[in-house]
Amino acid sequence: MYLVTILGNLLIILAVISDYQLHTPMYIFLSNLSLADICFTSTTIPKMIVDILSHSRVISYVGCLTQMSVYVLFGSMDDMLLTVMAYDRYVAICHPLQYPVLMNPRHCGFLVVLSFLFSLLDSQLHNLIVLQFTYFKGVLISNFFCNPAQILNLGCSDNFSGNILKYIAGVLFGFFPISGIFLSYYKIISSILRISSPGGKFKAFSTCGSHLSVVCLFYGTSIGVYFGSSVSQSPKNCLVASVIYTLVTPMLNPFIYSLRNRDIKSSLSRLHGRKL
């Protein structure tokens, strides 16, 4: 499954880079999302494979903090890019005449860089919270990686500053992106419903169907991981949700986009024919 995830996302990146017709904002964001998915999955799965082969489940304190930081960085990057892609679809459907101006290459690059900077800030906030806790030694985590939600739960519940930072991180990198996506799709659906032609409605819906599917899959599993880690006392449920979030979701993203998108399928076919 890990190799399928890597190869699938690499094919998306290769298709976007090699096909000039895909050098549009939507596919630029998609290629960055695929790159973030590769890095996100590679944060946890290789270590798990090494642990299985070596029959060792030990990770150092520094290694755990590093894994958690990189995990949050690229997980948040997925979050930010999905929000940016929702904004891109909103501009394309609701303001088609202004789209070339609002989504010019410089603006797209700025949005990608801004997404990375916000993700880096989220990662550093998690580090700041964890570093306030007592040094952990011999702590057992019921997961195959250093899950941020479980690491944060190891801290003292009466740590006021730590709780404040958690709430700030939750609002900035959870509530705001989700609100932005919901607002974008509210505007998109309102605009589509005003289209009189059934064919026009179908075409408008089809342009954002893949993105909406990925959003539902991403947020459905991520909410399951974080709320499950905080609320559920069952290690098995938390482990299953973590596997789906860290491995299954990044693996399915390329299939969703390639199967539901004619441009991607055409580009992959041309790429395959060129190799032959």
Side-chain angles (χ1 to χ4, degrees), residues 157-233:
S157 59
D158 58 349
N159 190 326
F160 179 75
S161 59
N163 287 332
I164 291 296
L165 287 174
K166 278 190 278 188
Y167 294 141
I168 292 174
V171 170
L172 289 178
F173 307 104
F175 176 75
F176 282 160
I178 294 176
S179 299
I181 292 173
F182 276 124
L183 181 61
S184 296
Y185 273 101
Y186 170 76
K187 297 287 187 180
I188 289 171
I189 293 173
S190 299
S191 297
I192 291 175
L193 292 178
R194 289 197 294 267
I195 300 175
S196 57
S197 168
K201 289 182 179 180
F202 176 78
K203 184 178 179 181
F205 271 120
S206 64
T207 60
C208 53
S210 299
H211 175 257
L212 191 58
S213 301
V214 171
V215 166
C216 294
L217 184 64
F218 177 82
Y219 280 105
T221 53
S222 61
I223 289 173
V225 168
Y226 281 95
F227 280 88
S229 300
S230 303
V231 178
S232 175
Q233 300 299 320

Side-chain angles (χ1 to χ4, degrees), residues 64 67-68 71 141-153 225-226 228-229 238 242 245:
C64 185
Q67 186 183 62
M68 184 197 72
Y71 174 89
I141 301 174
S142 301
N143 216 318
F144 62 91
F145 70 103
C146 294
N147 187 351
Q150 291 175 309
I151 296 294
L152 295 179
N153 287 338
V225 168
Y226 281 95
S229 300
C238 178
S242 297
Y245 180 56

Side-chain angles (χ1 to χ4, degrees), residues 237-248:
N237 293 339
C238 178
L239 184 60
V240 171
S242 297
V243 170
I244 294 174
Y245 180 56
T246 58
L247 184 57
V248 177

